[in-house]
Amino acid sequence: MTRQLSTTDRTTIRRGSDRARTERSELHATLDAGLICHLGLLIDGSPRVLPTGYGRSGDTLYVHGSTGARSLREAAEGVEVCITVTHLDGIVYARSLFHHSVNFRSAMIHGRARDVVDDDEKLRALRVITDQLAPGSWEHARQPNKRELAATAILAVDLAEAAVKIRSGGPNDDVEDVEAGKAWAGVLPLRTHWGAPESASDLPAEFEVPRHVGERRYQA
């Protein structure tokens, strides 16, 4: 059964409403494809936007950072936050500058963050975040100790109030510009890829690049 996003005044897309997506699966896919989110909130009446790692578990988004970061401490107090994730998929060249655009996928989540203080949930959340950023590392590397857990802030944000907007395809030129035929129009796709792994300078020569790192460079 298809699950729909709940529409609120803050998540109703008015500009370019034809690009709005209403299925919750589109939200999950947009979030799962990303590596960095931006956490926004007001501190002393001034907006702050913090880029940070994140991970999704069901309809909960976990973000993390240092317990020393004021942005995360303020967010943990239950103030309103806004989290965004954006993917740039291509530049759209039109026959007129007005209709130049970009192909993109974006998600915006509104809500109040919950401070994760339970050690078991914090470990689960860190695994989710690790699997998002560096899949395979949770099993390969040393896991966090008590000191590291104490120094790490984890926030949980419910995905109940969210919006998704996606643009794809070519330019939307005016008929007169198409008929005039005076400029090239089309899309320059943007692709990202992993480079060859670079071992740490202090790593003994007998260590080979592990599969979860080496094979990732060939993923689309």
Side-chain angles (χ1 to χ4, degrees):
M1 181 179 179
T2 300
R3 298 172 60 210
Q4 302 293 309
L5 294 172
S6 299
T7 301
T8 69
D9 186 61
R10 294 191 295 191
T11 62
T12 299
I13 297 175
R14 297 175 175 84
R15 179 67 177 170
S17 58
D18 59 314
R19 298 171 185 172
R21 299 294 186 269
T22 59
E23 294 184 5
R24 187 158 290 273
S25 60
E26 295 267 25
L27 170 65
H28 292 172
T30 300
L31 295 176
D32 293 349
L35 297 173
I36 295 293
C37 72
H38 287 84
L39 169 68
L41 70 159
L42 287 176
I43 297 179
D44 295 334
S46 178
R48 304 281 182 92
V49 179
L50 175 72
T52 185
Y54 72 94
R56 181 185 69 86
S57 178
D59 281 321
T60 299
L61 194 73
Y62 290 109
V63 300
H64 88 303
S66 169
T67 54
R70 185 180 179 189
S71 297
L72 269 71
R73 293 201 308 271
E74 293 279 345
E77 295 297 320
V79 301
E80 288 284 347
V81 300
C82 179
I83 299 175
T84 61
V85 172
T86 303
H87 308 276
L88 179 61
D89 296 323
I91 306 299
V92 180
Y93 292 81
R95 294 169 178 86
S96 68
L97 293 176
F98 181 80
H99 286 300
H100 274 56
S101 187
V102 295
N103 284 339
F104 66 92
R105 293 161 288 150
S106 65
M108 179 179 291
I109 300 101
H110 297 274
R112 296 182 185 273
R114 173 175 60 85
D115 188 18
V116 177
V117 295
D118 178 76
D119 282 350
D120 288 338
E121 184 183 5
K122 185 176 280 190
L123 278 172
R124 291 195 300 271
L126 284 172
R127 178 166 189 169
V128 168
I129 295 169
T130 300
D131 287 344
Q132 180 90 12
L133 187 64
S137 292
W138 191 261
E139 296 81 8
H140 181 79
R142 177 181 64 78
Q143 296 180 11
N145 57 36
K146 289 185 177 181
R147 177 182 57 80
E148 292 164 340
L149 280 178
T152 303
I154 299 288
L155 302 179
V157 180
D158 194 284
L159 296 178
E161 190 177 4
V164 178
K165 193 173 182 180
I166 297 175
R167 189 203 190 281
S168 60
N172 297 318
D173 276 310
D174 295 327
V175 174
E176 54 267 32
D177 289 321
V178 175
E179 292 176 346
K182 293 183 178 180
W184 181 86
V187 176
L188 182 62
L190 177 63
R191 307 271 193 262
T192 57
H193 68 277
W194 303 105
E198 300 175 2
S199 297
S201 60
D202 58 355
L203 189 73
E206 63 267 20
F207 273 91
E208 296 182 355
V209 175
R211 176 178 292 182
H212 68 276
V213 177
E215 292 185 352
R216 193 179 186 190
R217 64 177 299 204
Y218 299 108
Q219 298 175 3

